[in-house]
Amino acid sequence: MEGVLILKSASPPSCSSQNSSPPFSPDAQEDSDLQSSSSVPTPMCVTRVPPPPPPPPPPPPPPPPPPPPPPFGSRNVQRRSMKKLNWDTIPSQRVLGKLNVWTSKRPQRDLVLDIRSMEELFSHVDKRASLRNSRVMGLKKCDGMDLFPQEPQVTILDSKKSMNIGIFLRHFKRPVTEMVQDICQGNWLRFGPGKLKELCKLLPEESEVKQLLSFSGNLSVLPEADQFMVQLVKVPGYEERLKMMVLREEFFPLMDEVKNSVAVMTKGANELLDCDDLHSVIRLVLKAGNYMNAGGYSANAIGFRMTSLLKLADTKANKPGMNLMHYVAKQAEDIDAELLTFPSQLEHIGMASRICKEEVINDFEREVKKIKEVKLYSNRHPGLLQQMETFLMRVEAKLADVESSLQELKALSNAVAEYFCEDPATFKLEECCSIFHSFCKRFDTAVRV
């Protein structure tokens, strides 16, 4: 930038600091006047001023606007691990090819999601998962292209059933194809206690079976639960096979329980029939009751129902804290101290009182019915009959053994009813055992007082 020239009227004394003026004289004045009159321009003194500093540089341009959020569902953007919405999804068969809210062609607003805000609000904070996802995304992406494109997943079962079946399958550390093969071969031992019965409750309904059978696509596009059911329903007689496997798992343990229950009740019945000390105490009660009721409408009784034994404590004595049960116990002790030991001779009636004989018989008959059904079905399918042959032979022997025990128990139950003068039509052995068990405890309490 060029310097600015400033012109000033120069006076002789200040034009130059190097030229010193002589002292003022009249001759010099005349010369000055002569020069002024001759129109000679007055000499000017020129001074160069330094240029001003340059102006400051312009401010930097504003930053560019942030990029727009990625489109929803973009595969090229690393997606955070999000919290889940617990909803019931609809199978694709109920949506596709039909007019509904999901397939409607009516004009719709452009529904844009704020993905960034959603991830900030609902993502899981898990650094390890984020690192793992970033590695997976790094493997999948190559120049912005997805090397492993995912096929859309198809569902057949409703979401709740699919979830329950998925939970069931997670108990097993083997492929679903192998599990279906085990069902075909009747390998019930590979499923564990109770799992086959649980699977029977998860079997598809008739409408679902039709959809499963009609599926002819690639199994890999289905969830694991749907894959399992698609393969299972194609097994001939899969439902009957599962019932047979459940029967093989449960039959012998259940028969052992039935046999044990029958044995306990049989012992209890025999104890009631064979305990002479108990019978003596009962006759002692009859004698005391007839004496007390002499002259009344219930005097001279020849016997009484066993439930009356529990009413002895209701007859209070004049002595505080004493009742008829204490009196009978004291009289039995005076007659023979051995009579006081009858409760210890009835050790099984307490357990027998907690067993319902009718339920035991029903359990047995239910299993007999199942075995008959299995035989009929197996006879129509030679492959199944070969799987069940050894089992059915063992079953026949077990059923015969348990049935013999039940017949013995029925005979003893009738004998107990007859011995204690109860009506066989309404008599229940477990109730009779309960009465005598309560009587024994009360009698023991009276003896200790």
Side-chain angles (χ1 to χ4, degrees):
M1 184 177 289
E2 297 181 355
V4 180
L5 297 179
I6 302 176
L7 302 180
K8 296 184 180 180
S9 296
S11 57
S14 61
C15 283
S16 175
S17 59
Q18 298 176 358
N19 299 325
S20 60
S21 300
F24 183 77
S25 64
D27 294 336
Q29 179 67 39
E30 289 179 1
D31 292 339
S32 174
D33 293 340
L34 181 61
Q35 291 175 359
S36 299
S37 63
S38 62
S39 302
V40 178
T42 304
M44 303 296 291
C45 182
V46 179
T47 304
R48 183 175 293 275
V49 179
F72 180 68
S74 173
R75 292 183 180 177
N76 293 331
V77 178
Q78 180 181 346
R79 183 182 183 276
R80 295 187 188 179
S81 174
M82 304 293 289
K83 298 177 181 178
K84 304 305 179 186
L85 171 61
N86 186 20
W87 60 9
D88 289 330
T89 58
I90 305 174
S92 56
Q93 291 82 358
R94 298 185 187 177
V95 177
L96 300 179
K98 301 177 183 179
L99 180 61
N100 49 56
V101 67
W102 313 110
T103 60
S104 174
K105 301 299 183 182
R106 296 172 60 182
Q108 300 180 7
R109 293 182 176 87
D110 187 15
L111 305 177
V112 180
L113 290 177
D114 185 350
I115 302 299
R116 181 176 301 172
S117 174
M118 179 184 292
E119 291 190 347
E120 290 177 356
L121 292 172
F122 303 106
S123 64
H124 289 297
V125 180
D126 188 348
K127 295 181 179 180
R128 291 177 298 176
S130 298
L131 179 60
R132 184 169 60 251
N133 290 339
S134 65
R135 291 175 178 172
V136 172
M137 293 301 295
L139 291 174
K140 285 189 175 183
K141 288 192 288 187
C142 180
D143 295 332
M145 298 182 63
D146 195 344
L147 297 179
F148 307 101
Q150 297 179 354
E151 297 184 23
Q153 198 170 60
V154 179
T155 59
I156 301 175
L157 303 171
D158 66 77
S159 59
K160 184 176 181 180
K161 177 166 286 187
S162 180
M163 179 187 69
N164 291 334
I165 296 173
I167 294 172
F168 170 81
L169 294 175
R170 281 196 288 272
H171 288 92
F172 308 96
K173 306 299 183 183
R174 58 184 191 271
V176 294
T177 304
E178 188 177 329
M179 295 175 62
V180 173
Q181 190 65 26
D182 287 335
I183 294 173
C184 290
Q185 298 174 356
N187 296 330
W188 60 275
L189 289 172
R190 297 199 64 193
F191 287 87
K195 295 302 179 184
L196 289 168
K197 194 169 187 178
E198 181 182 345
L199 177 56
C200 288
K201 297 177 182 179
L202 298 173
L203 293 178
E205 304 292 337
E206 184 177 354
S207 59
E208 293 174 322
V209 171
K210 293 180 180 179
Q211 294 178 7
L212 292 166
L213 289 172
S214 64
F215 180 80
S216 58
N218 189 350
L219 288 176
S220 63
V221 303
L222 296 175
E224 187 180 37
D226 294 55
Q227 291 182 31
F228 175 71
M229 282 301 173
V230 166
Q231 297 177 69
L232 178 62
V233 297
K234 293 179 181 178
V235 175
Y238 68 92
E239 193 168 357
E240 286 74 15
R241 289 175 183 268
L242 284 172
K243 289 180 180 178
M244 290 180 186
M245 293 170 72
V246 171
L247 181 63
R248 293 176 69 180
E249 177 187 346
E250 295 182 345
F251 177 80
F252 288 105
L254 180 58
M255 286 298 101
D256 288 341
E257 290 182 12
V258 170
K259 186 72 181 292
N260 290 337
S261 297
V262 171
V264 168
M265 298 194 80
T266 299
K267 291 178 181 178
N270 279 321
E271 288 169 358
L272 291 175
L273 291 173
D274 296 340
C275 187
D276 292 333
D277 292 336
L278 170 65
H279 307 157
S280 297
V281 171
I282 290 174
R283 287 190 287 269
L284 180 61
V285 171
L286 175 65
K287 190 172 183 179
N290 276 330
Y291 183 84
M292 294 177 66
N293 294 334
Y297 71 94
S298 58
N300 300 320
I302 197 172
F304 57 83
R305 296 194 62 189
M306 295 301 104
T307 53
S308 301
L309 292 172
L310 303 181
K311 299 178 181 179
L312 297 182
D314 296 338
T315 303
K316 305 298 181 182
N318 296 328
K319 185 178 179 180
M322 295 289 292
N323 55 51
L324 187 55
M325 182 75 77
H326 295 95
Y327 174 80
V328 171
K330 183 65 172 63
Q331 292 300 304
E333 184 178 17
D334 293 342
I335 295 171
D336 187 352
E338 286 292 325
L339 293 177
L340 304 182
T341 65
F342 78 85
S344 63
Q345 303 171 38
L346 305 173
E347 58 178 317
H348 290 93
I349 62 172
M351 291 184 289
S353 67
R354 296 189 291 271
I355 300 172
C356 179
K357 180 168 72 72
E358 196 67 28
E359 289 183 3
V360 171
I361 295 174
N362 289 339
D363 288 342
F364 175 78
E365 293 177 347
R366 191 180 303 115
E367 294 303 301
V368 170
K369 182 179 178 181
K370 290 179 182 179
I371 294 298
K372 290 181 179 179
E373 293 174 353
V374 165
K375 286 182 178 179
L376 289 174
Y377 188 81
S378 299
N379 288 332
R380 297 196 298 267
H381 300 80
L384 281 178
L385 183 60
Q386 186 177 1
Q387 292 180 13
M388 302 291 290
E389 187 175 6
T390 303
F391 169 74
L392 292 175
M393 291 176 60
R394 295 177 58 207
V395 162
E396 291 295 337
K398 191 69 173 179
L399 289 177
D401 180 35
V402 175
E403 186 173 14
S404 174
S405 299
L406 279 172
Q407 293 299 330
E408 180 185 359
L409 177 61
K410 290 178 181 178
L412 281 172
S413 180
N414 291 334
V416 172
E418 184 177 353
Y419 188 80
F420 291 105
C421 301
E422 299 289 340
D423 182 4
T426 59
F427 177 76
K428 293 184 178 181
L429 181 59
E430 61 271 20
E431 291 182 358
C432 180
C433 289
S434 177
I435 291 171
F436 281 110
H437 183 57
S438 297
F439 176 65
C440 288
K441 292 193 293 184
R442 296 180 186 184
F443 188 87
D444 275 338
T445 301
V447 170
R448 289 194 296 267
V449 173

